[in-house]
Amino acid sequence: MNDRMPALYIGHGAPPLLDDPVWSAELKTWAWNLPRPQAILIVSAHWESAPIALTASNVPLVYDFGGFDPKYFRETYATPDASALAARVAAAMPSNEPVHQHRSRGLDHGAWVPLKIMYPEADIPVLQMSLPTHDPARLLSIGKRLQPLRDEGVLVVGSGFL
């Protein structure tokens, strides 16, 4: 039996998708059918930053959008501390791939919008990693270094929109 967590790509859009019954039902079903993650590492297309950067735990969300109902700017998603996962991600990178740990950046909507639907209790540590490049070879190399996390119960998620 393979206990490895899958790697997912989730199409997310703007925060009003939180109110979309079809999208929400699909994400809830996915989460229900997956093994329960020990932690979640998510890479959102909305955060491009080099070198690789990691979010902080227990800090406010990033509301990186505008023009929507004010209720979306009041959303919260306070998850448990993910510093242990941050240390594992940093340790997995080679010396030529530096990792910056932000002290004040929280999850952006590319992370918290789908996770709020999938894991509404916010009881799983979540870490967001920046997308450091568009170079496919470099991204595949980074992905291979992160792959062992899946054997440790970490759900690795790419989040964006086509």
Side-chain angles (χ1 to χ4, degrees):
M1 180 173 153
N2 186 354
D3 291 339
R4 173 177 280 182
M5 290 298 295
L8 301 178
Y9 175 79
I10 296 174
H12 79 267
L17 275 177
L18 289 168
D19 301 324
D20 182 301
V22 174
W23 183 78
S24 295
E26 288 176 5
L27 285 184
K28 284 178 188 177
T29 300
W30 253 11
W32 181 258
N33 289 313
L34 291 172
R36 181 167 173 77
Q38 298 298 308
I40 299 170
L41 175 64
I42 188 163
V43 180
S44 164
H46 290 285
W47 188 23
E48 296 180 22
S49 178
I52 291 173
L54 304 173
T55 53
S57 292
N58 304 315
V59 296
L61 299 175
V62 174
Y63 302 98
D64 56 334
F65 50 83
F68 297 110
D69 188 309
K71 74 179 183 177
Y72 299 115
F73 294 90
R74 294 188 297 271
E75 292 287 346
T76 61
Y77 194 69
T79 60
D81 180 63
S83 57
L85 179 57
R88 285 284 295 117
V89 169
M93 293 300 118
S95 60
N96 66 342
E97 193 69 68
V99 176
H100 173 71
Q101 178 68 58
H102 274 273
R103 303 253 186 260
S104 61
R105 190 186 197 284
L107 303 172
D108 69 36
H109 84 276
W112 64 261
V113 168
L115 293 179
K116 212 170 159 62
I117 297 297
M118 295 176 76
Y119 302 102
E121 298 83 15
D123 57 353
I124 299 170
V126 176
L127 180 69
Q128 187 174 351
M129 185 177 93
S130 69
L131 187 65
T133 182
H134 292 163
D135 174 36
R138 188 167 158 215
L139 291 172
L140 285 171
S141 175
I142 292 168
K144 284 181 183 177
R145 290 189 165 271
L146 297 173
Q147 186 174 351
L149 296 174
R150 295 172 50 208
D151 293 323
E152 300 170 20
V154 177
L155 178 62
V156 178
V157 180
S159 175
F161 203 70
L162 299 174

